């Protein structure tokens, strides 16, 4: 069963920031928040992960609330190629059994 | 690096036939995963290997499914006999124990259709 909850779908205008929320209220102290995305007809792709501090890489930023019960993935300038299903996963670092759930279908609109 | 390679990309077979899916992980990676994705059940982990040894096969649906990893650069997932309900996209992924968060790199998948 999914341990995270995400909205089923979201739209974002091209060039604008896409903010994808995730609730993980049962996350334990040694569990990280991982984000993957799956573009249509491709395998999932790792985006970013974090424990409690905000993280940023070349793809996105991850903002984790202080109580760690929720987080937001930010794509600063969404492009049409960012249209995908985004999965938020809580797992121990290096965990091998990642539960992907149903994710959020992000549609970037021209 | 070519990434994770899977073959075939598409497979259409008839019920009762044996199906073999193949995967070549990224060189140097020490974990290999097999997933199945369907509309109804989403993305499910079937089995994973560490250094060619199966570690957790609790996701394998039944005895008709088997997976092997004879060496570090090759793995197979076999279904015998196949059934229509096995129709799905099968993904192989690999990861490096020292990689960032041990991120998993996925192949392009094999779309299996069992008639």
């Amino acid at each position: 069963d999914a341990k995270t909850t995400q909205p089923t779908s979201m739209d974002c205008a091209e060039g604008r920031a896409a903010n994808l929320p995730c609730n993980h209220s049962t996350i334990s102290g040694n569990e990280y928040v991982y984000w993957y995305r799956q573009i249509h007809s491709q395998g999932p792709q790792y985006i970013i992960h974090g424990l409690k501090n905000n993280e940023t890489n070349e793809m996105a930023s991850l903002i984790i609330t202080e109580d760690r019960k929720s987080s937001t993935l930010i794509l600063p300038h969404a492009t049409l190629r960012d249209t995908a299903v985004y999965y938020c996963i809580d797992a121990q670092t290096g965990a091998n059994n990642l539960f992907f759930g149903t994710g959020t279908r992000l549609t970037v609109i021209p | 690096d070519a990434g994770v390679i899977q073959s075939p990309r598409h497979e259409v077979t008839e019920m009762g036939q044996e199906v073999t899916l193949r995967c070549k992980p990224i060189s140097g990676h020490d974990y290999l995963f097999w997933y199945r994705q369907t509309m109804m059940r989403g993305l499910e982990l079937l089995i994973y290997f560490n250094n060619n040894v199966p570690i957790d096969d609790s996701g394998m649906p039944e005895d008709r499914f088997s997976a092997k990893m004879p060496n570090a650069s090759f793995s197979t997932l076999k279904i015998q006999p196949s059934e229509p309900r096995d129709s799905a996209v099968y993904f192989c992924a690999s990861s490096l124990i020292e990689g960032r968060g041990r991120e998993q790199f996925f192949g392009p998948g094999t779309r299996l259709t069992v008639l």
Side-chain angles (χ1 to χ4, degrees):
Chain A
D1 291 333
K3 296 189 293 179
T4 64
T5 55
Q6 301 176 251
T8 302
S9 63
M10 293 181 62
D11 293 339
C12 177
E14 186 179 16
R16 296 292 186 95
N19 297 283
L20 292 92
C22 178
N23 288 321
H24 32 80
S25 57
T26 61
I27 194 169
S28 62
N30 62 349
E31 288 184 323
Y32 285 64
V33 179
Y34 287 80
W35 284 83
Y36 279 73
R37 75 178 181 183
Q38 186 173 21
I39 295 171
H40 183 62
S41 296
Q42 297 183 20
Q45 175 192 25
Y46 166 90
I47 301 173
I48 199 168
H49 78 289
L51 182 62
K52 56 182 180 180
N53 297 322
N54 298 337
E55 302 287 344
T56 296
N57 63 19
E58 67 279 6
M59 292 183 67
S61 294
L62 175 60
I63 307 299
I64 303 174
T65 58
E66 191 169 344
D67 63 7
R68 302 209 322 122
K69 293 185 176 181
S70 65
S71 61
T72 301
L73 178 75
I74 301 173
L75 308 178
H77 305 286
T79 71
L80 299 180
R81 289 175 294 180
D82 292 322
T83 292
V85 177
Y86 287 77
Y87 298 99
C88 170
I89 304 163
D90 59 355
Q92 294 181 6
T93 183
N96 295 301
N97 195 349
L98 300 180
F99 183 81
F100 280 79
T102 55
T104 295
R105 182 174 299 278
L106 175 69
T107 302
V108 180
I109 302 169
Chain B
D1 197 321
V4 175
I5 299 173
Q6 292 187 247
S7 65
R9 293 294 310 277
H10 301 273
E11 176 81 24
V12 180
T13 190
E14 293 188 346
M15 182 174 61
Q17 296 298 306
E18 177 180 295
V19 175
T20 299
L21 311 181
R22 297 173 175 78
C23 175
K24 177 179 170 55
I26 293 173
S27 177
H29 281 194
D30 38 26
Y31 283 85
L32 183 138
F33 308 82
W34 281 101
Y35 288 85
R36 177 174 68 175
Q37 186 170 37
T38 62
M39 289 293 292
M40 291 296 294
R41 300 177 65 87
L43 194 62
E44 305 172 281
L45 177 66
L46 300 178
I47 184 171
Y48 74 89
F49 296 81
N50 177 218
N51 292 325
N52 314 337
V53 176
I55 302 301
D56 184 355
D57 65 354
S58 60
M60 296 285 263
E62 49 196 277
D63 292 344
R64 297 185 297 107
F65 286 69
S66 62
K68 295 182 179 179
M69 192 166 186
N71 57 62
S73 60
F74 183 66
S75 176
T76 60
L77 178 68
K78 185 177 293 186
I79 308 173
Q80 167 64 18
S82 59
E83 297 182 1
R85 59 188 168 133
D86 301 330
S87 297
V89 180
Y90 291 81
F91 289 103
C92 176
S94 68
S95 70
L96 183 63
I97 191 170
E98 300 297 335
R100 57 177 180 177
R102 204 178 291 170
E103 67 174 282
Q104 297 184 17
F105 294 81
F106 283 76
T110 295
R111 181 172 296 277
L112 173 66
T113 302
V114 183
L115 302 175

